[in-house]
Amino acid sequence: MLNFTEEIKNEITSSPVTSEGARAILSAFILTSGNIMLKNGFYGFELVTENERTAEFFLNILEENFGLSLTVSGAKFDLLSGKDKLAFECADEKTDKLLKELKLVAADEDGYYLNFSVDDEIFKREDNIINYIKGAFLGGGSCTLPEESVSSRTGYHFEIVFSNKITANDFLDLLCEFEILAKLVMRKEKWVVYAKSKAVISDIFAAIGCEKGLDKLSRIVERKDRQNNANRINNCSVSNIDKTVTASVNQVRAIEIIAQTIGLQSLDKALFEVAECRLADKNASMQELAERLNITKSCLNHRMRKLNELALSLTD
């Protein structure tokens, strides 16, 4: 059974990508899922993924849009996910040219260097921003939702892991183009853009057009909100019951003290009736006792306080 992260990645890879969008989605994927290397005098890259559909998706993009072919360079078992991670490599003259066109490899007076900034051209078009966000999620993203169990402590969590702070900060700026505010934290020498707000996660899915993911998130939010409201109501009811029981026990204890010391017959008629009524039904609520005595609840509370005060004076 697919987890939610896999569902989102499969939804992203099921949508067609234009040649322009391919450049944006590939740029983000390279910077989040692998590394750029220099091999045989050419710049190339290695991509790592455990999702077969994601691997197939980028194999097609590279072949159809750039005439490039990836070769499997290795595979290893990932203990955290319990799945094999496949590594794909591409390093030749065409790859070198592509990396420079994508501006992932740039040049200055000192020569070529790796460029971790998001290309300014990405910011100029909304569809490029959307594809860059998609590519980043496919490369380093994950999302978890609360579990079905009411007692589960799993919350809402969305994150994308970047190897470089420059890319991570630029990615935050891309999200801001949709008025989405995420957070950034360093974790084990990586930079993580994350969100724990269900509203922010919902906005991200809406921005990149993940309708199935958005629908599932909305259903879970609605269900959890219902559960939380039911729990609050239940907790409130239990709290009120506890208070009623505690008050009843204290009242009975006070009346028994009076009975054992000066006797209930020493009470005036009004207090005697209250004491007798409470002892006759120790579990009745104050409202029920007031109705049986044909007095107001306020009047009953007043008389109960007098009985409590009397009991306290007898124990001093």
Side-chain angles (χ1 to χ4, degrees), residues 175-292:
L175 293 178
C176 285
E177 294 293 315
F178 292 99
E179 299 183 354
I180 297 172
L181 299 179
K183 297 180 180 180
L184 179 65
V185 66
M186 187 178 186
R187 184 202 300 156
K188 297 180 180 180
E189 299 182 355
K190 299 285 187 178
W191 292 92
V192 183
V193 172
Y194 73 96
K196 292 182 177 293
S197 163
K198 54 192 176 186
V200 172
I201 298 173
S202 176
D203 288 343
I204 293 172
F205 290 159
I208 63 177
C210 281
E211 295 182 1
K212 293 180 181 178
L214 186 59
D215 287 343
K216 183 169 184 177
L217 172 61
S218 299
R219 289 196 304 271
I220 290 178
V221 168
E222 184 178 350
R223 189 192 71 242
K224 295 300 289 186
D225 284 348
R226 283 200 307 269
Q227 291 176 348
N228 290 336
N229 288 335
N231 288 339
R232 280 193 289 269
I233 292 171
N234 182 60
N235 290 338
C236 182
S237 299
V238 171
S239 177
N240 288 336
I241 291 172
D242 289 343
K243 290 178 181 178
T244 299
V245 171
T246 300
S248 175
V249 169
N250 290 336
Q251 291 162 6
V252 170
R253 185 181 298 120
I255 293 169
E256 289 176 342
I257 290 172
I258 296 172
Q260 294 166 7
T261 52
I262 62 175
L264 296 182
Q265 297 300 328
S266 64
L267 299 172
D268 62 36
K269 181 181 179 181
L271 293 183
F272 178 81
E273 289 177 349
V274 169
E276 189 177 47
C277 192
R278 169 48 82 194
L279 291 178
D281 190 347
K282 297 178 181 179
N283 296 320
S285 67
M286 292 292 282
Q287 183 62 45
E288 289 171 335
L289 291 180
E291 291 174 358
R292 293 171 190 175

Side-chain angles (χ1 to χ4, degrees), residues 13-123:
T13 55
S14 65
S15 300
V17 181
T18 64
S19 57
E20 182 66 25
R23 303 172 73 86
I25 204 167
L26 179 61
S27 294
F29 190 71
I30 291 174
L31 289 179
T32 52
S33 73
N35 59 81
I36 299 173
M37 58 190 177
L38 188 61
K39 187 175 182 179
N40 299 326
F42 296 111
Y43 280 101
F45 54 82
E46 183 183 59
L47 304 178
V48 180
T49 181
E50 64 185 36
N51 187 297
E52 292 182 3
R53 286 187 58 174
T54 298
E56 183 180 356
F57 176 74
F58 280 100
L59 284 170
N60 291 334
I61 281 181
L62 286 166
E63 183 176 345
E64 294 174 5
N65 292 277
F66 308 106
L68 297 177
S69 297
L70 289 175
T71 58
V72 178
S73 59
K76 65 178 181 177
F77 184 74
D78 184 68
L79 292 176
L80 290 177
S81 65
K83 296 183 178 182
D84 287 326
K85 279 194 171 183
L86 294 175
F88 299 89
E89 185 180 290
C90 193
D92 54 24
E93 186 175 359
K94 285 185 177 181
T95 311
D96 185 284
K97 181 181 179 182
L98 173 62
L99 289 174
K100 290 171 183 175
E101 287 179 355
L102 296 178
K103 299 181 182 178
L104 296 178
V105 174
D108 58 18
E109 62 274 9
D110 296 321
Y112 289 103
Y113 65 92
L114 301 185
N115 180 26
F116 295 101
S117 299
V118 176
D119 185 6
D120 289 340
E121 294 299 316
I122 300 293
F123 284 90

